[in-house]
Amino acid sequence: MASRPRGYGLTAEIKGKIAAKYEVEKEQEARMWVEAVLGEPIDPNVPWNECLGPERFHQALKDGIILCRLADRIMSPKRVPHNTSKLAFKQMENINNFLVACEDYGIAKTDLFQTVDLFENQNLWQVVLAIFALGRKAQVNGYDGPALGPKEAQRNTRDFSEEQLKAGSGVIGLQMGTNKCASQKGMTFGGQRHIADLKVDEASKEGQAVIGLQYGSVQGANQSGINFGKSRGIMGPDK
């Protein structure tokens, strides 16, 4: 099969972002689980405590045989067929058999990968995530062998009667806010508003004559001695 040409521009940028997501620790965790289920190493040339890395991990899974055997062991008595041919289309067929078996097992298609993601090493990180998805689903479906990752959450459907639904519709949740029992009791609408509705006695009138400093001050100056209506003298005082 002809090799895929090197990507440029946007293609290279996307491939770089996909590669940046790859976590060797998660790959090692997935590898250890696969080997525990199968009872044998997926790459006999690499010690169990040494990470394979993307390239060797890809070569170990590329033909789809390991994945088909993994699914066959977990999904027993269901059989996942595979062949050992070196032909490219046969190896891609193995990968497709694994993906179909995973969908039938209940794994969401969004948690899986496309055939070229593995065979042409387009998105190996998605392959690692698919193995984790299989490990979670295996625990839910009753597989009692080695576990991978946390157990997948199950749907917990609750059925309420019509009476319960009606009773709940009258309850205002705290997330909608609260007025702490405040009300508009005593407020009148449409009535005349009184600006000064307090009775002012004689003692308080003295205070009304005092101009507060906030109103400004002339510091005792007044208009005493100022004449209005007379002509203004232009000549000097000696005239």
Side-chain angles (χ1 to χ4, degrees):
M1 181 178 180
S3 60
R4 179 179 290 270
R6 180 183 175 185
Y8 295 92
L10 182 59
T11 302
E13 182 180 349
I14 293 175
K15 191 170 183 178
K17 289 183 178 180
I18 293 175
K21 296 180 181 179
Y22 197 86
E23 297 182 22
V24 179
E25 295 79 8
K26 291 295 183 182
E27 171 220 284
Q28 176 69 357
E29 190 175 345
R31 170 208 174 185
M32 297 297 294
W33 178 69
V34 173
E35 292 181 347
V37 173
L38 296 179
E40 61 184 70
I42 63 176
D43 189 340
N45 300 320
V46 181
W48 65 270
N49 57 350
E50 179 183 340
C51 296
L52 292 176
E55 292 300 326
R56 290 186 294 189
F57 191 67
H58 168 244
Q59 290 299 323
L61 303 181
K62 179 181 177 181
D63 58 10
I65 296 176
I66 294 293
L67 293 179
C68 287
R69 291 179 56 203
L70 174 67
D72 189 79
R73 185 71 60 87
I74 292 175
M75 303 174 189
S76 179
K78 177 183 175 63
R79 305 299 299 175
V80 182
H82 67 274
N83 58 75
T84 58
S85 174
K86 299 297 183 181
L87 295 175
F89 77 93
K90 287 294 184 179
Q91 294 178 350
M92 296 177 71
E93 187 178 86
N94 288 342
I95 299 174
N96 185 68
N97 289 341
F98 169 77
L99 295 174
V100 172
C102 286
E103 284 193 64
D104 294 340
Y105 197 57
I107 300 176
K109 197 168 184 177
T110 53
D111 289 334
L112 298 174
F113 56 91
Q114 297 182 7
T115 302
V116 294
D117 290 338
L118 173 57
F119 190 77
E120 298 183 3
N121 196 9
Q122 291 297 300
N123 191 351
L124 198 60
W125 176 239
Q126 189 61 37
V127 178
V128 175
L129 295 180
I131 295 175
F132 270 87
L134 176 59
R136 294 192 302 270
K137 185 60 69 173
Q139 298 179 61
V140 174
N141 290 352
Y143 177 69
D144 58 358
L148 175 64
K151 185 177 180 180
E152 190 176 68
Q154 297 180 341
R155 179 178 297 179
N156 185 11
T157 305
R158 292 175 171 82
D159 296 323
F160 295 98
S161 65
E162 191 67 25
E163 296 176 352
Q164 290 174 318
L165 293 175
K166 288 182 179 179
S169 63
V171 177
I172 300 177
L174 291 178
Q175 66 270 23
M176 297 183 184
T178 175
N179 58 8
K180 297 182 179 181
C181 301
S183 69
Q184 295 179 333
K185 183 179 180 181
M187 297 181 65
T188 58
F189 296 91
Q192 182 179 3
R193 182 183 178 188
H194 299 281
I195 303 300
D197 52 359
L198 298 176
K199 294 182 178 180
V200 181
D201 54 16
E202 294 297 329
S204 63
K205 287 183 179 181
E206 296 178 359
Q208 296 178 9
V210 178
I211 301 177
L213 291 179
Q214 65 269 27
Y215 289 98
S217 172
V218 293
Q219 298 181 353
N222 56 40
Q223 294 180 337
S224 177
I226 297 179
N227 296 322
F228 295 93
K230 293 185 178 181
S231 61
R232 180 182 179 187
I234 302 303
M235 294 183 295
D238 55 337
K239 298 294 182 180

